[in-house]
Structure formats: structure tokens, C-alpha cells
């Protein structure tokens, strides 16, 4: 029992890492796991795993998320780009550029924090459903938006708004560095849309001789961003919806494997990691994003999307390697639900 919940979701890690834990499975990303990652470095060769942050282009993949907008800051009301500082002091011969950006934090290569997806759940074991997030952190108290959405009139909520708990800034402080393994689904399933469940994933791991150790970050190459980049910021949703392998979030065995493996993060080069839409279910009320709910809400396993893996995955395949050192901290932005990231693989 904690001050926020009496009952936790079945199979969750709520409370396992402490009453006020906000890191979930990232607690398994220990100093020993960093050393394991360092032990995989043989050459000191590095790969950038980020797309340019103005990809995918437009707002086709998600109408809420728009490309970044760069603009100059202002100096005495003037755009500070190629700005001669002699205007401020005739003795100064510097020329200055200074800019700012309006950015949807989950537009491109990104991390999802635990505040990204919550659920209705009976935390107090009294039959009443509450909107909560990982470890029982509550909507409108710990994750605060402008409105408390109710069945009647929406009620305004006083600021400051944002993730007062479960912010992605927790991941930044953790640093997110350690041993990771690359699973190349494209090699096995090609570029067609394939729902990968437990059986298919185990076949790939066996065929490639891959072992996922407790504390590992797992990176999935599907080829999705390869097709996306080829569209040159003019994404075609119908084509992308049929592109690349996706995890089958409705596969109970796959979700159980994610629990049992004690992996610390699930990362993919596709949009959402899991299949959208999820396979149909005979269940009544159910999550539309079952893998998101299992990982972010129940286990405290971060998800990451739209990574650029092409050159890195091809090189790893040529070398017959799967494990590497991954360094991927998000922005240290308090209150943010997600964050861009410039991941680095070192081999």
C-alpha cells in the first residue's frame, strides 16, 4: 500500500522500486549495466541514431504534431541573425546569430515518458475508476493539464501545467546509458507490414543467437524510417501504414516476455513500436495501445520511436554483432511528457 494506491494492476511493478519511484525498470540500468555496455565497445566507432528533427515532414503521422519552427531571437526588436553588435557598441566587430524553436517534443526521434500514457484504474480498490499513470501518480494532481475532463462540463485546472511527476527529465538525470541489443526484424520479415508476436520474436532471437539480459535496452530495426526518409518529408500514410514489422500488443505471451525479460527500454525505428491499429480483440473495454499501456503504465518501461538505424544495423549485420553501448539521454526539460533524443551507438 502507498499513499496513492491500495491495489496495483496485475503484473505491474508499482511499488517494487519504492513508494515514490518514477524510474520503473530504468532502476535496472545500473553502474554494472553501464560497464556491460562499455565491454561491448571494441573499436570506438560511433553511429548517430537520430533522424533530422524536421522528419517525418508535415503532420500526416499525427495531426497533433507539426514540424519544428526555427526563428531568430530578438535583439532590441530586431531578428538576431547576422546581427552586427556594432549597433550596440561601435567598437564591437562581432556578428551574431541566436535562434529559438517551437517543437512538438514527440515529432521525430523521441522518448516517451511514463506520463505519456495512463489508464482508468481502481487504485483504491473501492470500485471507482481513477485516471492514473505509472506507480499510481494521478491525473490533475501529478500530471496536470489545463482541464479536468469530465462527463459533464470540463473543469479548468490551475497551473503550473505539465508532468509534475513522471517527467522525461527523470530519464535525463538517469542518463540512459548501458548495454543494448539490436534485433533486426527487417532482415527476417522484409519491409511489408508484419505483426510480430512472441512466437515470431523468439524465432528471430534463436536464429540470430541473441540473448536479452536483464537491464538491457532493446532496439528493433524494421526499416520503417528508411522508407520514410525516402519520401523526403512528404510522407504517404497509406504506404507507411503497410510498412515494416510492428510488435503485436494484443499478444499476451509477448507482453509476458517483456515482463519476464526485465528489459529496461523498448526502442524502434517505426512509429509507436506496436501495431496501429492494434489487432481486434474480443475483450470488452480494452486499451487501444496495449503495449504502451503494458510498458509505460504497468511496468515503467520507456518506449522510443522513429530512430534512424540503417547504417548502424547494416554494419552490425556485416560484423555479426548484436550488442553495443547505447547512450541516449533525453532533454533535461522538467514537466515534459516526451523528448527528442540524439542517440549514439558505440561499438
Amino acid at each position: 500500500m502507498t499513499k496513492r494506491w491500495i491495489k496495483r494492476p496485475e503484473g505491474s511493478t508499482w511499488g517494487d522500486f519504492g513508494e515514490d519511484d518514477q524510474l520503473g525498470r530504468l532502476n535496472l540500468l545500473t553502474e554494472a549495466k553501464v560497464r556491460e555496455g562499455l565491454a561491448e565497445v571494441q573499436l570506438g566507432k560511433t553511429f548517430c541514431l537520430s533522424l533530422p528533427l524536421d522528419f517525418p515532414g508535415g503532420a500526416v503521422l499525427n495531426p497533433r504534431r507539426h514540424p519544428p519552427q526555427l526563428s531568430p531571437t530578438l535583439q532590441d526588436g530586431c531578428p538576431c541573425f547576422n546581427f552586427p553588435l556594432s549597433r550596440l557598441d561601435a567598437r564591437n566587430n562581432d556578428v551574431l546569430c541566436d535562434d529559438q524553436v517551437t517543437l512538438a517534443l514527440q515529432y521525430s526521434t523521441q522518448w516517451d515518458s511514463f506520463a505519456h500514457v495512463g489508464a482508468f484504474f481502481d487504485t483504491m480498490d473501492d470500485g471507482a475508476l481513477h485516471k492514473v499513470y505509472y506507480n499510481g501518480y494521478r491525473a490533475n494532481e501529478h500530471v496536470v493539464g489545463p482541464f479536468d475532463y469530465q462527463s459533464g462540463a470540463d473543469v479548468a485546472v490551475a497551473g503550473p501545467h505539465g508532468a509534475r511527476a513522471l517527467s522525461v527529465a527523470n530519464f535525463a538525470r538517469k542518463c540512459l546509458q548501458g548495454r543494448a541489443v539490436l534485433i533486426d526484424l527487417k532482415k527476417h520479415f522484409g519491409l511489408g507490414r508484419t505483426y510480430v508476436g512472441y512466437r515470431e520474436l523468439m524465432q528471430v532471437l534463436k536464429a540470430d543467437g541473441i540473448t536479452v539480459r536483464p537491464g538491457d535496452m532493446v532496439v528493433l530495426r524494421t526499416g520503417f524510417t528508411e522508407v520514410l526518409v525516402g519520401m523526403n518529408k512528404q510522407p504517404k500514410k497509406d504506404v507507411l501504414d503497410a510498412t515494416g514489422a510492428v510488435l503485436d500488443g494484443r499478444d499476451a505471451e509477448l507482453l509476458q516476455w517483456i515482463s519476464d525479460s526485465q528489459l529496461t527500454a523498448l526502442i524502434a525505428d517505426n512509429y509507436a513500436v506496436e501495431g496501429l491499429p492494434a489487432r481486434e480483440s474480443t475483450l470488452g473495454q480494452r486499451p487501444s495501445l496495449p503495449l504502451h499501456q503494458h510498458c509505460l503504465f504497468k511496468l515503467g518501461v520507456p518506449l522510443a520511436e522513429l530512430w534512424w538505424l540503417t547504417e548502424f544495423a547494416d554494419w552490425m549485420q556485416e560484423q555479426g554483432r548484436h550488442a553495443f553501448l547505447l547512450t541516449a539521454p533525453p532533454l533535461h526539460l522538467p514537466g515534459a511528457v516526451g523528448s527528442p533524443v540524439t542517440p549514439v551507438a558505440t561499438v
Side-chain angles (χ1 to χ4, degrees):
M1 178 177 177
T2 77
K3 58 192 176 188
R4 290 182 307 279
W5 54 269
I6 293 173
K7 182 175 73 173
R8 68 180 186 175
E10 184 178 355
S12 77
T13 63
W14 291 19
D16 287 357
F17 302 106
E19 180 177 313
D20 296 319
D21 175 59
Q22 299 184 44
L23 288 175
R25 281 276 187 82
L26 291 177
N27 284 285
L28 302 182
L29 202 58
T30 61
E31 293 175 358
K33 289 305 298 185
V34 176
R35 292 195 299 272
E36 281 188 39
L38 289 168
E40 300 293 346
V41 178
Q42 300 173 13
L43 303 175
K45 185 177 180 65
T46 56
F47 293 86
C48 174
L49 306 185
S50 176
L51 289 170
L53 293 185
D54 55 356
F55 275 82
V60 169
L61 292 186
N62 189 320
R64 299 190 306 272
R65 299 172 183 169
H66 296 271
Q69 298 294 318
L70 283 166
S71 61
T73 59
L74 297 179
Q75 177 69 53
D76 294 342
C78 298
C80 189
F81 233 74
N82 303 318
F83 185 83
L85 290 185
S86 58
R87 283 197 172 193
L88 306 179
D89 183 340
R91 297 169 299 175
N92 196 322
N93 67 356
D94 294 329
V95 177
L96 187 65
C97 292
D98 193 39
D99 54 3
Q100 58 195 348
V101 64
T102 301
L103 177 69
L105 295 175
Q106 291 162 280
Y107 181 73
S108 188
T109 303
Q110 62 169 278
W111 279 112
D112 292 340
S113 79
F114 305 146
H116 179 47
V117 172
F120 285 94
F121 187 74
D122 180 12
T123 50
M124 304 314 292
D125 200 19
D126 59 4
L129 296 178
H130 303 276
K131 284 188 286 189
V132 292
Y133 297 84
Y134 171 74
N135 213 9
Y137 286 97
R138 300 169 183 157
N140 305 313
E141 180 180 349
H142 304 107
V143 180
V144 182
F147 295 101
D148 179 1
Y149 292 108
Q150 300 182 7
S151 56
D154 298 332
V155 178
V157 178
H161 302 132
R164 299 178 186 174
L166 303 180
S167 163
V168 77
N170 294 309
F171 299 176
R173 288 191 292 271
K174 182 62 178 172
C175 296
L176 298 198
Q177 184 179 57
R179 185 180 188 268
V181 292
L182 175 70
I183 301 174
D184 196 332
L185 299 179
K186 179 192 171 188
K187 181 176 76 170
H188 292 269
F189 302 109
L191 284 173
R193 177 53 54 98
T194 304
Y195 280 74
V196 174
Y198 173 78
R199 182 175 61 86
E200 293 82 6
L201 183 62
M202 293 305 105
Q203 289 172 349
V204 170
L205 296 183
K206 181 178 180 180
D208 288 351
I210 298 173
T211 300
V212 176
R213 303 175 186 171
D216 281 352
M217 294 178 276
V218 172
V219 181
L220 305 171
R221 190 258 190 115
T222 72
F224 182 93
T225 48
E226 297 166 33
V227 175
L228 175 67
V229 167
M231 294 176 173
N232 196 27
K233 295 193 281 190
Q234 299 292 325
K236 299 176 179 62
K237 191 172 188 301
D238 58 337
V239 175
L240 292 171
D241 284 347
T243 296
V246 290
L247 294 185
D248 183 359
R250 294 272 189 242
D251 186 333
E253 284 188 288
L254 176 64
L255 300 185
Q256 189 60 51
W257 176 80
I258 293 171
S259 297
D260 295 342
S261 68
Q262 298 187 70
L263 59 82
T264 55
L266 261 179
I267 297 155
D269 62 354
N270 63 16
Y271 181 73
V273 185
E274 64 181 309
L276 291 178
R279 289 185 185 275
E280 285 302 316
S281 171
T282 57
L283 299 174
Q285 192 173 44
R286 70 219 186 280
S288 61
L289 295 166
L291 186 137
H292 275 65
Q293 191 172 119
H294 185 74
C295 290
L296 299 177
F297 174 67
K298 290 185 178 181
L299 295 182
V301 168
L303 299 176
E305 305 168 20
L306 292 173
W307 286 29
W308 176 249
L309 301 175
T310 305
E311 292 89 357
F312 172 60
D314 287 347
W315 186 90
M316 292 287 275
Q317 191 174 142
E318 290 170 4
Q319 301 297 315
R321 293 182 57 181
H322 306 286
F324 62 101
L325 172 67
L326 177 61
T327 306
L331 297 179
H332 194 164
L333 185 58
V337 167
S339 172
V341 57
T342 304
V344 177
T346 308
V347 291

